Amino acid sequence: MGQFRNYHRNIKIRIGQIFLSDMVAGAIFPFIAIYFATYFGSAITGLLLLINVVIGLIVGLYGGYYADIMGRKKLMVIAGLIRMVAFIVMAVANSPLLTSPGLTFVMAVLITASFGLDGPAADAMIIDITKPSERKGVYALIYWSFNLAFAVGGIIGALTFNHYLFELLVIMVITSIAANILVIFFITETMEKKAKPIETNVLKSMFTSYKDVAGDKLFLLFVFAGLLLQSMENQMENYIAIRLNNEMPLQTILGFPFSGVEMVGFLKSENTILVVFLTVFVTRWVAKQKEGPIFLWSIGIFTLGYVGISYFNNIWLLFAFMVLATIGELMRVPIQSDFLASIPTDDKRSSYMAVYGLVFNGSMMISSFFVTLGGIFSSEIMSTLILFCGFISFIVMKHIMGDLKNRRDAQLNED
């Protein structure tokens, strides 16, 4: 992180934009499943969240295709404006003048779609302007900023979501405006080749582009394993959030009462605060270890943490298992990000990143489905299913580890 002043200006601006955008997400989305479950019930909420994710996934595929044709910045600007308008409407839909869960859901879909639209472009922009040898540092910094934003957002959301939702959404509107200003006026285009004319038959052209990506079996296995890992973390905002809200008895710490809703916010904040303070330390320690074994150990520790969080209701046990989950996360992310950056080809970076969006969108589909399953099955069965996700991911990553190292090392040699 000490090389920050030497990084490209876009990276510095992107750090600020990530902080603002993810603070918004951290204050709203860990609690949105509880919001919808209150109005629609768990079973319907699971289906609504699934619809939300499917739409985001489809938009993400279009975003990846167009970012390799139109350029990165244009899509980032369009997506940011969509988010801003959606937050304005969402604030109105939860204001003293109106309470509309249906309209709130539509705006949540638009916000998810906007992240799908600009996510591949933003990821490709980082790869455009970094060398393989400096990417670990850049990704560590981005990861740190992302988690700091979620820590701040999670605390704000935990304290305000239940009783001050309208005021919270007004703050989110202001931060989304600030994020748009950074992108529109300070970020520059990074795609070196000139923008191509958009094909008349967009679907056919998209199919051709993604057909090449789909032929990369190593990448697809990497995506699948990452999807299962991310689905466990996403349970905090879906199944685990609803379970704690329904099952966790009111408990006190130092005289302060904790309900399930507050516990969700503070667990998310614990995770992100630990990341903020431990990222540099753990990253340096991991760099001294053997890459393959430490990566696999990280998956095991991460899985154990979320299995515990999905089962227990005691405050202290929940905090302890979140420490485990966070340590596993910190051990895994730098290695996983480094492998990811080395996989895409130069001419289809955004397309690769759009498919990698399956890790987020696909994991949200799984975790949304878990909301519905959680209304049917016991906590024991649900925790076993989460354990199964971690086990399968471990097996897949172990299987492809050698090929991942070879792909990454080949790119480092080119650098």
Side-chain angles (χ1 to χ4, degrees):
M1 296 187 189
Q3 298 177 345
F4 178 75
R5 70 175 58 180
N6 297 324
Y7 289 149
H8 190 285
R9 187 180 73 170
N10 279 18
I11 294 176
K12 300 174 185 178
I13 301 302
R14 175 69 176 148
I15 296 297
Q17 192 250 346
I18 284 174
F19 182 85
L20 293 173
S21 297
D22 290 335
M23 184 176 67
V24 167
I28 298 293
F29 289 103
F31 311 97
I32 202 71
I34 297 174
Y35 174 93
F36 290 133
T38 300
Y39 288 101
F40 302 117
S42 295
I44 298 299
T45 295
L47 294 176
L48 292 176
L49 294 174
L50 184 60
I51 292 170
N52 187 18
V53 172
V54 169
I55 292 174
L57 174 60
I58 294 171
V59 173
L61 293 175
Y62 275 90
Y65 168 75
Y66 280 111
D68 282 330
I69 293 178
M70 299 167 55
R72 323 304 192 198
K73 179 177 177 176
K74 186 177 292 186
L75 282 184
M76 293 174 68
V77 170
I78 293 171
L81 293 175
I82 291 173
R83 268 196 298 275
M84 180 185 70
V85 172
F87 272 116
I88 291 172
V89 176
M90 187 180 284
V92 173
N94 292 275
S95 69
L97 301 176
L98 177 66
T99 300
S100 176
L103 186 56
T104 300
F105 171 71
V106 174
M107 293 304 104
V109 170
L110 282 178
I111 292 168
T112 300
S114 73
F115 280 115
L117 186 63
D118 72 350
D123 291 339
M125 175 179 284
I126 296 299
I127 299 176
D128 288 342
I129 55 181
T130 56
K131 298 178 181 179
S133 58
E134 67 182 3
R135 283 176 187 154
K136 279 187 178 178
V138 171
Y139 282 120
L141 183 58
I142 290 174
Y143 182 63
W144 179 85
S145 177
F146 162 82
N147 279 280
L148 178 61
F150 255 86
V152 175
I155 292 173
I156 293 172
L159 297 175
T160 61
F161 193 90
N162 268 350
H163 304 294
Y164 303 98
L165 181 57
F166 172 66
E167 291 81 0
L168 172 62
L169 289 170
V170 170
I171 294 173
M172 299 302 100
V173 169
I174 295 171
T175 56
S176 65
I177 291 172
N180 281 334
I181 290 173
L182 288 176
V183 174
I184 293 171
F185 295 104
F186 297 99
I187 278 183
T188 57
E189 181 58 64
T190 61
M191 191 171 71
E192 293 183 2
K193 58 185 178 182
K194 295 181 179 179
K196 305 177 195 174
I198 299 174
E199 300 285 344
T200 304
N201 191 336
V202 173
L203 290 178
K204 181 179 178 181
S205 182
M206 281 181 61
F207 176 79
T208 300
S209 178
Y210 284 115
K211 183 180 178 182
D212 295 337
V213 177
D216 191 336
K217 293 182 181 179
L218 173 63
F219 178 62
L220 295 184
L221 287 172
F222 183 80
V223 167
F224 176 66
L227 182 155
L228 294 177
L229 286 171
Q230 187 63 40
S231 72
M232 290 189 288
E233 186 172 355
N234 288 346
Q235 299 299 343
M236 274 302 303
E237 301 173 10
N238 293 278
Y239 163 70
I240 292 175
I242 293 173
R243 185 192 72 80
L244 289 175
N245 184 56
N246 293 336
E247 297 181 7
M248 191 183 117
L250 190 67
Q251 300 171 61
T252 60
I253 295 180
L254 300 177
F256 294 97
F258 276 69
S259 68
V261 174
E262 283 84 17
M263 198 64 206
V264 172
F266 282 104
L267 284 174
K268 292 288 290 183
S269 297
E270 177 194 4
N271 168 255
T272 49
I273 290 170
L274 286 173
V275 168
V276 167
F277 285 103
L278 298 180
T279 294
V280 174
F281 172 77
V282 176
T283 299
R284 288 176 178 173
W285 178 76
V286 167
K288 299 176 183 177
Q289 311 304 314
K290 290 185 178 180
E291 191 175 57
I294 204 70
F295 188 45
L296 296 177
W297 268 106
S298 73
I299 294 174
I301 296 171
F302 180 80
T303 300
L304 178 62
Y306 275 101
V307 169
I309 294 169
S310 72
Y311 182 74
F312 293 105
N313 289 318
N314 179 274
I315 284 179
W316 298 111
L317 285 176
L318 290 169
F319 279 134
F321 276 104
M322 180 53 78
V323 171
L324 278 181
T326 304
I327 290 173
E329 179 184 353
L330 288 171
M331 292 165 61
R332 172 178 56 86
V333 168
I335 301 172
Q336 188 172 338
S337 298
D338 190 34
F339 284 145
L340 171 63
S342 66
I343 294 176
T345 58
D346 292 346
D347 61 331
K348 290 185 173 63
R349 281 175 179 162
S350 292
S351 296
Y352 267 86
M353 293 299 102
V355 174
Y356 191 72
L358 287 167
V359 167
F360 175 77
N361 291 296
S363 67
M364 287 299 294
M365 291 175 66
I366 294 174
S367 56
S368 299
F369 184 53
F370 269 52
V371 171
T372 301
L373 292 179
I376 302 172
F377 298 114
S378 66
S379 297
E380 291 83 359
I381 292 176
M382 296 303 297
S383 295
T384 302
L385 291 174
I386 292 172
L387 175 63
F388 182 73
C389 289
F391 176 74
I392 295 298
S393 179
F394 179 93
I395 295 299
V396 172
M397 285 296 193
K398 184 177 181 181
H399 175 69
I400 64 175
M401 182 64 63
D403 292 333
L404 286 172
K405 289 181 179 178
N406 291 337
R407 180 88 58 105
R408 191 271 317 279
D409 292 345
Q411 191 175 93
L412 283 173
N413 291 334
E414 291 176 5
D415 184 41

